[in-house]
Amino acid sequence: MVRKWLLPTLSEVLAKAEPTGIDLLVPEFNPLDSQPSEDRQELLLKAHSQWQSAISSVEALLLKSLPHPIGVADLSEETVIEGLLITAPLPLFSHPAIVSQLHTITFTTPHANRQLLPCKSTGSDRDFALSHHFPVELLPTDPLADERFCLVLTDRFSLVVVLGEENGEPRCQFSFDPDDLDLAWKSLRGRIMLTAPHYLADLDELAAQFSPIEPDYRWVMAFSQYLLEHQPTAQLAPAPEPISVPTKLAADVELIQALTHEIRTPLTTIRTMTRLLLRQPDLSPHVLKRLSAIDRECTEQINRMELIFSGVELASTAPSPAVDLTTMSIGELLEQSLPQWQQQAERRNLNLAVAIPHKLPAVVSNPTMLDRVLTGLVENFTRNLPSGSHIQVEVTPVGDRLKLQFQSQPDADERTNTTPKARHAIGQLLTFQPETGNLSLNMNVTKNLFQLLGGKLIVREHLQQGEVLTIFLPLSTLAHS
């Protein structure tokens, strides 16, 4: 049954226009094209992948177009507004240059709105005013709540991207056409009039200032190029042989990548807003402590999601992709990481002892990925231990390799009662611990990651003696730290 509503959705607006879907710019290889049709789940995954690519491309285009890229430290109430950005169902961008220079409206459902920001901005809400971000609540029956979209109006280009449905099938669409953008704005303006009329005066002024313009071919070409760059590699070219990744595993990968993206987006927004608040000079020590904790937790969760995303992408690709390996200073990496590991241990009432030589030989690995994987491994390691446990970290050269070992030892009073915490597999790539709520890559994927980084991970677990993680990294023959 077709739902009738007062105002059209953005998918309906674009469906009546000339075809401008992502498929027209980025032909996507799909091994199922030879079949009569794709089922809804496959179409949904395809459209979701295109949406992620499009939003990454919009962000790149905005950063390229903004005339005065600035940082969080430069935010002020006098920052010049360079455009209007309307998104749903969550804020899509967290880069300071975008947050500070675009007036942003986010359409939310009633439930989601209570989890984001206050509905109205007042003079005392200076932290939200600095980010120029305001939520607008949709009516519960509005079909627009089922769509994700991004409408951008600037004096250099105008663009709308929508993830919704066309003829009952999931589809991602976009348009630079001024007529399409004008209809999209009118559809959204009508909804603002219904639920947040107090915003209309300012928004009408901004919409008039940044009214949709005829697209310059250079911006359209740049967007098309970004789309190509952000498309998943596996979708751009067919494999010479039948794909060896099992269908179920491929579905797990798509789902995990989608979920990690959706989790990182709101967390990044929360962290950005928190850091704006932390800049206020009149915060009490209690509030400062709370905000710092929010910033820390958001950062840790964002890093975990990035690790899961990267780990799934690398570990599930057949054949395994090449990872750039280079000579690096393991001493510098440990010097930067140890304070964070110490904080993780202290928060869980664990004792961390470190035995590291003053001078360590250089190793061969990928510095960025190694830091990310080690941090994730240590976080999972500390979460598994009972309060009062001891952790011994030792680093020693062994032949042509460097050995990095983490050994846990339960407290004497807890040793007889210590039992391994239950770990439940989620699909073929993730592990979940009900006791801690911790979601992580399973050990097989983690071991695979260390192999891609040029090393090796060995895990031994003893009921009374605790768990031992041993990592071997190849030494460099070219330099020493």
Side-chain angles (χ1 to χ4, degrees):
M1 179 179 179
V2 178
R3 290 182 297 179
K4 298 296 183 182
W5 215 74
L6 179 66
L7 298 165
T9 65
L10 297 197
S11 290
E12 291 169 343
V13 168
L14 294 190
K16 298 176 182 178
E18 291 294 322
T20 53
I22 289 179
D23 290 334
L24 297 180
L25 284 181
V26 186
E28 181 179 15
F29 170 74
N30 192 332
L32 300 174
D33 284 343
S34 59
Q35 299 180 6
S37 63
E38 298 171 295
D39 63 32
R40 181 175 178 80
Q41 181 64 21
E42 291 164 350
L43 289 172
L44 183 61
L45 292 174
K46 177 180 177 181
H48 199 289
S49 175
Q50 292 174 341
W51 163 259
Q52 293 182 26
S53 173
I55 293 306
S56 297
S57 302
V58 170
E59 181 176 41
L61 208 63
L62 284 171
L63 293 177
K64 180 179 180 180
S65 67
L66 290 173
H68 307 295
I70 61 177
V72 174
D74 302 311
L75 296 183
S76 70
E77 294 178 346
E78 292 75 31
T79 303
V80 177
I81 298 298
E82 301 290 348
L84 177 61
L85 174 66
I86 306 180
T87 67
L90 293 169
L92 297 175
F93 309 108
S94 60
H95 193 285
I98 298 175
V99 169
S100 61
Q101 296 183 88
L102 296 183
H103 189 102
T104 304
I105 294 292
T106 300
F107 280 89
T108 70
T109 61
H111 176 70
N113 199 31
R114 287 193 291 269
Q115 299 179 21
L116 288 175
L117 304 175
C119 186
K120 294 184 180 180
S121 175
T122 66
S124 61
D125 293 335
R126 183 173 181 272
D127 48 299
F128 298 119
L130 286 177
S131 66
H132 314 294
H133 175 268
F134 307 91
V136 171
E137 187 174 296
L138 291 170
L139 293 175
T141 57
D142 193 337
L144 190 68
D146 297 329
E147 294 189 348
R148 305 180 190 184
F149 59 83
C150 174
L151 174 65
V152 180
L153 300 176
T154 70
D155 58 2
R156 296 195 174 192
F157 73 91
S158 306
L159 170 66
V160 60
V161 182
V162 185
L163 175 62
E165 290 189 355
E166 183 180 2
N167 298 324
E169 293 185 347
R171 190 180 180 201
C172 183
Q173 304 176 79
F174 70 88
S175 178
F176 284 87
D177 187 274
D179 293 336
D180 297 344
L181 291 158
D182 185 60
L183 290 174
W185 159 243
K186 289 178 179 177
S187 176
L188 299 178
R189 185 186 184 280
R191 290 170 165 90
I192 297 172
M193 182 182 297
L194 290 173
T195 61
H198 50 282
Y199 288 152
L200 274 182
D202 292 338
L203 289 179
D204 283 340
E205 184 178 343
L206 284 171
Q209 179 182 353
F210 301 105
S211 58
I213 59 177
E214 289 291 336
D216 187 312
Y217 77 93
R218 289 170 294 186
W219 291 109
V220 179
M221 287 180 62
F223 181 73
S224 305
Q225 184 61 41
Y226 289 136
L227 278 177
L228 290 170
E229 292 175 359
H230 290 101
Q231 280 290 302
T233 305
Q235 296 178 346
L236 295 178
E241 299 178 358
I243 295 177
S244 58
V245 179
T247 303
K248 188 177 185 305
L249 177 58
D252 285 349
V253 171
E254 292 278 7
L255 179 61
I256 292 169
Q257 291 177 335
L259 286 176
T260 53
H261 178 273
E262 291 304 305
I263 293 171
R264 282 181 295 172
T265 299
L267 285 176
T268 303
T269 302
I270 294 170
R271 183 174 64 176
T272 299
M273 298 302 180
T274 301
R275 290 180 176 178
L276 288 173
L277 285 170
L278 284 169
R279 287 181 44 79
Q280 302 304 308
D282 54 350
L283 296 177
S284 67
H286 177 72
V287 172
L288 187 63
K289 180 180 178 181
R290 294 292 187 185
L291 290 175
S292 299
I294 293 172
D295 178 75
R296 181 182 65 245
E297 290 295 332
C298 285
T299 299
E300 289 185 2
Q301 295 299 329
I302 290 169
N303 292 340
R304 179 186 291 117
M305 291 302 107
E306 289 179 349
L307 173 60
I308 291 176
F309 183 92
S310 301
V312 167
E313 185 175 44
L314 290 172
S316 63
T317 304
S320 296
V323 176
D324 292 333
L325 304 181
T326 185
T327 296
M328 57 169 287
S329 171
I330 189 67
E332 291 182 3
L333 187 149
L334 292 174
E335 183 179 356
Q336 296 172 4
S337 300
L338 280 173
Q340 182 178 351
W341 298 353
Q342 188 70 51
Q343 288 179 0
Q344 291 175 345
E346 290 175 355
R347 291 205 307 271
R348 298 179 174 92
N349 193 27
L350 305 174
N351 300 307
L352 180 68
V354 180
I356 300 179
H358 291 293
K359 189 171 184 180
L360 288 171
V363 299
V364 177
S365 189
N366 181 292
T368 302
M369 276 301 298
L370 180 61
D371 180 38
R372 187 177 297 173
V373 175
L374 277 176
T375 299
L377 188 67
V378 172
E379 182 181 13
N380 293 333
F381 186 65
T382 56
R383 281 178 178 268
N384 295 336
L385 300 176
S387 177
S389 296
H390 301 269
I391 304 173
Q392 179 69 37
V393 181
E394 295 183 352
V395 182
T396 53
V398 179
D400 60 351
R401 298 196 171 200
L402 186 77
K403 184 175 77 171
L404 174 60
Q405 187 172 80
F406 300 85
Q407 182 167 1
S408 64
Q409 189 70 42
D411 184 74
D413 296 334
E414 298 284 343
R415 193 170 302 170
T416 57
N417 299 321
T418 300
T419 57
K421 294 180 180 178
R423 302 181 185 182
H424 299 301
I426 298 181
Q428 302 180 52
L429 302 170
L430 300 181
T431 297
F432 177 70
Q433 290 183 334
E435 293 184 38
T436 62
N438 186 37
L439 183 69
S440 62
L441 296 170
N442 67 34
M443 197 53 67
N444 288 334
V445 175
T446 305
K447 289 180 178 180
N448 190 10
L449 282 179
F450 275 105
Q451 289 181 352
L452 293 173
L453 293 172
K456 183 177 181 179
L457 170 64
I458 299 174
V459 181
R460 292 188 175 91
E461 191 167 357
H462 306 283
L463 185 61
Q464 299 298 324
Q465 298 178 349
E467 190 175 42
V468 179
L469 304 181
T470 306
I471 301 158
F472 292 96
L473 296 170
L475 297 180
S476 171
T477 58
L478 300 178
H480 292 79
S481 59

